[in-house]
Coordinates of all heavy atoms in Angstrom, one line a residue:
T1 N 4.4 -10.3 7.3 CA 5.1 -11.0 8.4 C 4.1 -11.7 9.4 O 4.6 -12.6 10.1 CB 6.0 -10.1 9.2 OG1 5.2 -9.1 9.9 CG2 7.0 -9.4 8.3
G2 N 2.9 -11.2 9.4 CA 2.0 -11.7 10.4 C 2.1 -11.0 11.8 O 1.4 -11.4 12.7
V3 N 3.0 -10.1 11.9 CA 3.3 -9.3 13.1 C 2.5 -8.1 13.1 O 2.5 -7.3 12.2 CB 4.8 -9.0 13.3 CG1 5.0 -8.2 14.5 CG2 5.6 -10.3 13.3
V4 N 1.7 -7.8 14.2 CA 0.9 -6.6 14.3 C 1.8 -5.6 15.1 O 2.2 -5.9 16.3 CB -0.4 -6.8 15.1 CG1 -1.2 -5.6 15.3 CG2 -1.2 -7.9 14.3
L5 N 2.0 -4.4 14.5 CA 2.8 -3.4 15.2 C 1.9 -2.2 15.6 O 1.0 -1.8 14.9 CB 3.9 -2.9 14.2 CG 5.0 -3.8 13.8 CD1 5.9 -3.2 12.8 CD2 5.8 -4.4 14.9
S6 N 2.3 -1.6 16.7 CA 1.6 -0.4 17.1 C 2.1 0.8 16.3 O 3.1 0.7 15.6 CB 1.9 -0.1 18.6 OG 3.2 0.3 18.8
R7 N 1.4 1.9 16.3 CA 1.8 3.1 15.6 C 3.2 3.5 16.0 O 4.0 3.9 15.2 CB 0.8 4.2 15.8 CG -0.5 4.1 15.1 CD -1.5 5.2 15.4 NE -0.9 6.5 15.1 CZ -1.2 7.2 14.0 NH1 -2.1 6.8 13.2 NH2 -0.7 8.4 13.8
A8 N 3.5 3.5 17.3 CA 4.8 3.8 17.8 C 5.9 2.9 17.2 O 7.0 3.4 16.9 CB 4.8 3.8 19.3
S9 N 5.6 1.6 17.2 CA 6.6 0.7 16.6 C 6.8 0.9 15.1 O 7.9 0.8 14.7 CB 6.1 -0.7 16.9 OG 6.0 -1.0 18.2
V10 N 5.8 1.2 14.4 CA 5.9 1.5 13.0 C 6.8 2.8 12.8 O 7.7 2.8 12.0 CB 4.5 1.7 12.3 CG1 4.7 2.2 10.9 CG2 3.8 0.4 12.3
W11 N 6.5 3.8 13.6 CA 7.3 5.0 13.6 C 8.8 4.8 13.9 O 9.6 5.2 13.2 CB 6.7 6.0 14.6 CG 7.5 7.3 14.6 CD1 8.3 7.8 15.6 CD2 7.5 8.3 13.6 NE1 8.8 9.0 15.2 CE2 8.4 9.4 14.0 CE3 6.8 8.5 12.4 CZ2 8.6 10.5 13.2 CZ3 7.1 9.6 11.6 CH2 7.9 10.6 12.0
R12 N 9.0 4.0 14.9 CA 10.4 3.6 15.2 C 11.1 2.8 14.1 O 12.3 3.0 13.8 CB 10.5 2.8 16.6 CG 10.4 3.7 17.8 CD 10.8 3.0 19.0 NE 10.0 1.8 19.3 CZ 8.8 1.8 19.9 NH1 8.4 2.9 20.4 NH2 8.1 0.7 20.1
L13 N 10.3 1.9 13.5 CA 10.9 1.2 12.4 C 11.2 2.1 11.2 O 12.3 2.0 10.6 CB 9.8 0.1 11.9 CG 10.1 -0.7 10.7 CD1 11.3 -1.6 10.9 CD2 8.9 -1.4 10.2
L14 N 10.3 3.0 10.9 CA 10.6 3.9 9.7 C 11.7 4.9 10.0 O 12.6 5.1 9.1 CB 9.3 4.6 9.3 CG 8.2 3.8 8.8 CD1 7.0 4.6 8.5 CD2 8.6 3.1 7.5
T15 N 11.7 5.5 11.2 CA 12.7 6.5 11.4 C 14.0 6.0 12.0 O 15.1 6.4 11.5 CB 12.1 7.6 12.4 OG1 11.8 6.9 13.6 CG2 10.9 8.3 11.8
G16 N 13.9 5.1 12.9 CA 15.1 4.5 13.5 C 15.9 3.5 12.7 O 17.1 3.7 12.4
R17 N 15.2 2.5 12.2 CA 15.9 1.4 11.5 C 16.1 1.7 10.0 O 17.1 1.4 9.4 CB 15.1 0.1 11.6 CG 14.8 -0.3 13.0 CD 15.4 -1.5 13.6 NE 16.0 -2.5 12.8 CZ 15.7 -3.7 12.7 NH1 14.7 -4.2 13.4 NH2 16.4 -4.6 12.0
L18 N 15.1 2.4 9.4 CA 15.2 2.7 8.0 C 15.7 4.1 7.7 O 16.0 4.4 6.5 CB 13.9 2.5 7.3 CG 13.3 1.1 7.4 CD1 11.9 1.0 6.8 CD2 14.2 0.1 6.7
G19 N 15.8 5.0 8.7 CA 16.4 6.3 8.5 C 15.5 7.3 7.7 O 15.9 8.3 7.2
W20 N 14.2 7.0 7.6 CA 13.2 7.9 7.0 C 13.0 9.1 7.8 O 13.1 9.1 9.0 CB 11.9 7.2 6.7 CG 12.0 6.1 5.6 CD1 13.1 5.5 5.1 CD2 10.9 5.6 4.9 NE1 12.7 4.6 4.2 CE2 11.4 4.6 4.0 CE3 9.5 5.8 5.0 CZ2 10.6 3.9 3.2 CZ3 8.7 5.0 4.1 CH2 9.2 4.1 3.2
T21 N 12.6 10.2 7.2 CA 12.3 11.4 7.8 C 10.9 11.9 7.5 O 10.4 11.6 6.4 CB 13.3 12.6 7.5 OG1 13.3 12.8 6.1 CG2 14.7 12.2 7.9
L22 N 10.4 12.7 8.3 CA 9.0 13.3 8.1 C 9.2 14.4 7.0 O 10.0 15.3 7.2 CB 8.4 13.9 9.3 CG 7.1 14.5 9.2 CD1 6.0 13.5 8.8 CD2 6.7 15.2 10.5
Q23 N 8.5 14.2 5.9 CA 8.5 15.2 4.9 C 7.1 15.6 4.5 O 6.2 14.8 4.4 CB 9.3 14.7 3.6 CG 10.7 14.3 3.9 CD 11.4 13.7 2.7 OE1 10.8 13.7 1.6 NE2 12.6 13.3 2.9
R24 N 7.0 16.9 4.2 CA 5.7 17.4 3.8 C 5.8 18.0 2.4 O 6.9 18.6 2.1 CB 5.2 18.5 4.8 CG 4.9 17.9 6.2 CD 4.1 18.9 7.0 NE 3.8 18.2 8.3 CZ 4.4 18.4 9.4 NH1 5.4 19.3 9.5 NH2 4.0 17.8 10.5
P25 N 4.8 17.9 1.6 CA 4.9 18.5 0.3 C 5.0 20.0 0.4 O 4.5 20.7 1.2 CB 3.5 18.1 -0.4 CG 2.7 17.5 0.6 CD 3.5 17.3 1.9
E26 N 5.8 20.6 -0.6 CA 6.0 22.0 -0.6 C 4.8 22.7 -1.2 O 4.2 22.2 -2.2 CB 7.2 22.3 -1.5 CG 7.7 23.7 -1.5 CD 9.0 23.9 -2.4 OE1 9.9 23.1 -2.2 OE2 9.0 24.7 -3.2
R27 N 4.3 23.7 -0.6 CA 3.2 24.4 -1.0 C 3.6 25.4 -2.1 O 4.5 26.2 -1.9 CB 2.4 25.1 0.1 CG 1.8 24.1 1.1 CD 1.1 24.7 2.2 NE 0.1 25.7 1.7 CZ -0.7 26.4 2.4 NH1 -0.6 26.3 3.7 NH2 -1.6 27.2 1.9
R28 N 2.8 25.5 -3.2 CA 3.1 26.5 -4.2 C 1.8 27.1 -4.6 O 0.8 26.4 -4.7 CB 3.8 25.8 -5.4 CG 5.2 25.4 -5.1 CD 5.9 25.1 -6.4 NE 7.3 24.7 -6.0 CZ 8.2 24.6 -6.9 NH1 8.0 24.8 -8.2 NH2 9.4 24.3 -6.5
A29 N 1.9 28.3 -5.0 CA 0.7 29.1 -5.4 C 0.2 28.5 -6.8 O 1.0 28.2 -7.7 CB 0.9 30.5 -5.6
V30 N -1.1 28.4 -7.0 CA -1.6 27.9 -8.3 C -1.3 28.9 -9.4 O -1.1 28.5 -10.5 CB -3.1 27.7 -8.1 CG1 -3.8 27.4 -9.5 CG2 -3.5 26.7 -7.1
E31 N -1.2 30.2 -9.0 CA -1.0 31.2 -10.0 C 0.5 31.4 -10.4 O 0.8 32.2 -11.2 CB -1.5 32.6 -9.5 CG -2.9 32.6 -9.1 CD -3.2 32.1 -7.7 OE1 -2.2 31.9 -6.9 OE2 -4.4 31.9 -7.3
R32 N 1.4 30.5 -9.8 CA 2.8 30.6 -10.1 C 3.1 30.6 -11.5 O 2.7 29.7 -12.2 CB 3.5 29.5 -9.3 CG 5.0 29.6 -9.3 CD 5.5 28.4 -8.5 NE 7.0 28.4 -8.6 CZ 7.8 28.8 -7.7 NH1 7.3 29.3 -6.6 NH2 9.1 28.7 -7.8

């Protein structure tokens, strides 16, 4: 788009407008 967004603006775009949520990978033991 040619538009420079701050980190806060990117966060608002992803969470507010697109409805994304913060997700972290599930940790599993290697020996499982």
Side-chain angles (χ1 to χ4, degrees):
T1 65
V3 176
V4 178
L5 297 177
S6 68
R7 287 177 56 103
S9 294
V10 171
W11 179 253
R12 280 193 302 272
L13 174 70
L14 293 176
T15 58
R17 306 246 347 235
L18 298 177
W20 288 18
T21 59
L22 178 63
Q23 298 179 4
R24 294 193 174 105
E26 189 176 311
R27 293 180 56 178
R28 291 191 177 195
V30 175
E31 302 85 11
R32 186 177 173 103

